């Protein structure tokens, strides 16, 4: 029984929960991209109450580009902090990506 519980715990800890990608403009999942910015979003009460101004403007991170990707996810540190506080403080991380060919311009 202990082995099954340990295996279940390991499997759950390696999963990539709470990840979403949004493609803006003329971009697909196969487009090579590079990360240009990352921002942690501090949230309270299991994601119900943002601590800071919840509104993010992509233009602050990607400029005036029309083609970019945003990825919102729980990273290991985010999940660890959420577990330590029993979900009271549960941050997420938002990353911004742009196509490689636009970086070269």
């Amino acid at each position: 029984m202990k082995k099954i519980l340990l295996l279940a715990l390991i499997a759950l800890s390696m999963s990539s929960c709470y990840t979403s990608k949004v493609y803006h403009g003329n971009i697909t999942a196969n487009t090579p991209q590079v990360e240009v910015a990352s921002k942690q979003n501090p949230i309270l009460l299991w994601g119900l109450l943002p601590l800071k101004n919840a509104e993010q403007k992509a233009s602050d991170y990607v400029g005036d580009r029309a083609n970019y990707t945003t990825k919102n996810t729980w990273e290991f540190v985010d999940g660890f902090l959420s577990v330590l506080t029993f979900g009271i403080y549960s941050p997420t991380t938002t990353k911004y990506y742009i196509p490689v060919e636009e970086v070269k311009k």
Side-chain angles (χ1 to χ4, degrees), residues 12-64:
L12 288 173
S13 68
M14 292 183 163
S15 65
S16 58
C17 306
Y18 302 123
T19 299
S20 64
K21 279 187 179 180
V22 179
Y23 299 98
H24 304 270
N26 189 16
I27 193 169
T28 64
N30 298 332
T31 305
Q33 301 175 47
V34 63
E35 181 182 333
V36 292
S38 178
K39 182 182 183 308
Q40 191 175 31
N41 313 305
I43 302 171
L44 291 176
L45 302 176
W46 307 276
L48 299 174
L49 182 64
L51 279 178
K52 294 181 182 176
N53 186 3
E55 183 178 326
Q56 290 185 34
K57 295 181 181 177
S59 61
D60 293 342
Y61 304 101
V62 297
D64 59 351

Side-chain angles (χ1 to χ4, degrees), residues 90-105:
S90 50
T92 61
T93 302
T94 302
K95 294 183 179 184
Y96 296 90
Y97 299 88
I98 59 172
V100 172
E101 65 265 3
E102 289 192 21
V103 174
K104 296 177 183 178
K105 291 180 182 178

